[in-house]
Amino acid sequence: MKRLAVFLGTAAAILIPTAQASAHPLGNFTVNHYDGLTVTPSSLSDDAVVDFAEIPTAQAVGLVDTDHSGKVDPAEAASYARSMCQALAGQVLAAAAGAPARFAVAGSSFSYRPGAAGLPTSRLECTLRAPLHVGAQTQMAFADRFDADRIGWHEITAVAAGVHLQNAPVPQHSVSDRLLHYPNDLLSSPLDVRSATLTVLPGAGTSTVAGGLAKVPGAGPVARVVGRLDTALGSLAGRRHLTLGIAALAVLVSLVLGAAHAALPGHGKTVMAAYLAGKRGTKRDAVAVGVTVTVTHTAGVLLLGLALSLSSSLAGERVSGALGAVSGVLIVMVGVSLLTSAVRQRRRHGAAADRGHEHGHRHDHDHGHAHGHGHDHEHGHDGSPPSSGRRPGRRALVGMGVAGGLVPSPSALVVLLGAVALGRTAFGVVLVLVYGAGMAATLTAAGLLLVSAAGRLRARPRLAALAGRSAALVPATTSMVVVLVGLGLATRSLASL
């Protein structure tokens, strides 16, 4: 009992404070940007900050640690900061009254901060200045194109000294405190402001900000719970001293996190449910899909983790987007197969009904109307057509499982990379396996509930009769749901590339 009390107390101590931990708005793949503009009569300054999340930071270690000693000394950090700020200055564009303004680097710094699962995040700060002449009313355009293909938070602010701004489209103060404190909720739609056009007026005055600035929506309650679990798992897996109790708690949190992650929208529950309904799937089929999800997800995390470790230029979110598109295409293929099967079955039923009608018509002439009724074999006892759904094939079940687990979770990927960095590769693989098992448990439970509900429905005569009369519509309807969900997933994933 004492050991159990200590275990539960440790769990509470770890899980409760997680609300205070900071997190990147779009997760551990993100590269986040802030540009704080200051306009004067003769210059434009940009307080530029780039906040790299755990995975981009891990990929760039070899570029910072040039002597490959395993530690980044101040000289290496300063050299890396200068080179990165030079690159950033070339990708930050500004023009006043149509005349381009060229930025020069006036200051630079690079540092690491603690991140999830024992991995650090990194922060690049650059002070950029460009000459600018403000005479009469001047239109000034600004755009940040640095690392434009990476997802993340993009924020711009603007203030004036000696001049003033009229109806500026960006605020004067940073909502993220220069990427130091993101909003408390994990955001489903972070800021994505990459450019701004400012109207600059000569003379000191009060700058004004245009109304109608977009508000940043917060995450729902389920997403907040998943965020807490995500932070807790990173904290547990990244501990320098790993005891048996902490390891067991990390495994438990990984299992719960995987299950909760699969409960979020976009993880194939709707598709799997529609497929099993349209094909009269069994409990064994639901379990087969869940197992395939686990195997596919684990393999995807391990392979992507290896690829990210070997390449500093590989954008993990682009790989995830590509895999999401492939997953959507697989789902569309399964839906088309289901629709084709439903159409064929419908045609066979129609042909059989015609033959039955002709056979019964002949018996009406030869043996009388009553005897002819005894040969109407093509309809059920409730007057409904026979079941048009057949058991799903093995390939289709595997396809559903692969589609559900193909996109690797960033949370599991960060835990794996953190474990590798700490010399605990085997433990990281175990956590990834357990995470995938949690996802599979949620998806399998959804399938089992559907199969059980269908069995109870068929066991009740009145409900079975009602279901039987609409049975002809089920395969076509479910197949269209599968196709539409697959198209939506593929389109959304392609749009992110």
Side-chain angles (χ1 to χ4, degrees):
M1 291 299 294
K2 289 183 179 179
R3 290 181 179 179
L4 178 61
V6 172
F7 179 79
L8 294 177
T10 303
I14 293 172
L15 294 176
I16 289 175
T18 56
Q20 299 176 356
S22 62
H24 292 288
L26 283 181
N28 312 104
F29 284 125
T30 55
V31 176
N32 307 282
H33 300 246
Y34 167 74
D35 292 284
L37 305 180
T38 301
V39 185
T40 72
S42 59
S43 68
L44 171 64
S45 298
D46 181 13
D47 172 24
V49 180
V50 185
D51 180 19
F52 300 89
E54 289 85 352
I55 292 176
T57 298
Q59 289 180 272
V61 166
L63 301 177
V64 185
D65 182 18
T66 53
D67 62 2
H68 306 292
S69 64
K71 293 184 179 180
V72 176
D73 58 45
E76 289 175 325
S79 175
Y80 184 73
R82 286 192 298 269
S83 63
M84 289 294 288
C85 286
Q86 288 289 351
L88 191 151
Q91 295 297 314
V92 175
L93 310 177
R102 300 187 180 278
F103 283 99
V105 179
S108 61
S109 68
F110 180 80
S111 60
Y112 289 107
R113 305 182 73 204
L119 292 176
T121 64
S122 55
R123 182 178 177 88
L124 174 70
E125 298 189 22
C126 306
T127 302
L128 309 179
R129 289 196 178 93
L132 180 72
H133 175 69
V134 177
Q137 178 174 314
T138 304
Q139 294 291 322
M140 192 197 73
F142 175 85
D144 184 350
R145 305 290 173 80
F146 181 70
D147 256 357
D149 59 335
R150 306 299 294 262
I151 61 172
W153 180 283
H154 292 259
E155 181 182 2
I156 297 176
T157 62
V159 296
V163 293
H164 60 281
L165 308 178
Q166 184 180 53
N167 293 330
V170 294
Q172 297 178 359
H173 303 288
S174 169
V175 70
S176 68
D177 190 17
R178 299 174 67 249
L179 308 183
L180 286 172
H181 303 97
Y182 294 103
N184 290 330
D185 288 342
L186 293 177
L187 304 178
S188 57
S189 299
L191 285 179
D192 190 20
V193 181
R194 302 171 185 241
S195 61
T197 299
L198 306 175
T199 300
V200 185
L201 299 176
T206 302
S207 298
T208 58
V209 178
L213 293 176
K215 294 183 178 181
V216 182
V222 176
R224 285 197 293 270
V225 170
V226 173
R228 285 173 175 264
L229 290 171
D230 192 3
T231 306
L233 179 60
S235 175
L236 291 167
R239 293 211 166 191
R240 294 291 175 181
H241 302 288
L242 190 66
T243 65
L244 182 60
I246 294 297
L249 186 57
V251 170
L252 177 61
V253 172
S254 183
L255 180 67
V256 176
L257 179 59
H261 190 74
L264 293 173
H267 289 278
K269 293 178 297 299
T270 302
V271 174
M272 187 180 71
Y275 187 84
L276 293 176
K279 281 293 190 179
R280 284 182 174 250
T282 65
K283 293 181 179 179
R284 181 179 297 178
D285 297 331
V287 173
V289 173
V291 171
T292 309
V293 168
T294 303
V295 174
T296 304
H297 181 265
T298 303
V301 171
L302 295 178
L303 291 175
L304 183 55
L306 177 62
L308 290 173
S309 300
L310 296 177
S311 173
S312 61
S313 60
L314 182 64
E317 70 276 13
R318 295 182 69 83
V319 176
S320 294
L323 291 176
V326 173
S327 177
V329 171
L330 284 175
I331 292 174
V332 170
M333 293 172 62
V334 170
V336 170
S337 174
L338 182 60
L339 181 60
T340 302
S341 176
V343 170
R344 289 176 179 173
Q345 190 72 12
R346 185 67 178 170
R347 287 177 179 175
R348 283 195 294 268
H349 168 64
D354 291 340
R355 289 194 299 271
H357 177 73
E358 293 175 0
H359 187 54
H361 184 68
R362 287 195 299 270
H363 275 265
D364 283 344
H365 287 285
D366 296 340
H367 303 290
H369 179 75
H371 188 65
H373 250 298
H375 291 271
D376 188 8
H377 304 294
E378 300 301 327
H379 294 274
H381 294 291
D382 58 358
S384 66
S387 171
S388 57
R390 294 186 300 171
R391 285 283 313 284
R394 182 176 299 177
R395 290 183 180 178
L397 290 173
V398 171
M400 290 299 299
V402 170
L406 189 60
V407 181
S409 166
S411 303
L413 187 60
V414 166
V415 167
L416 175 65
L417 293 177
V420 172
L422 292 172
R424 304 169 185 159
T425 303
F427 182 60
V429 172
V430 168
L431 291 180
V432 172
L433 280 168
V434 173
Y435 188 100
M439 288 183 60
T442 298
L443 296 177
T444 302
L448 291 176
L449 287 174
L450 177 69
V451 172
S452 178
R456 292 177 180 272
L457 180 66
R458 289 192 291 269
R460 297 188 177 186
R462 291 185 179 180
L463 294 178
L466 178 62
R469 285 191 290 271
S470 61
L473 299 177
V474 172
T477 303
T478 55
S479 62
M480 289 304 298
V481 170
V482 173
V483 171
L484 291 176
V485 171
L487 287 174
L489 176 60
T491 302
R492 186 171 64 249
S493 299
L494 289 173
S496 67
L497 295 178

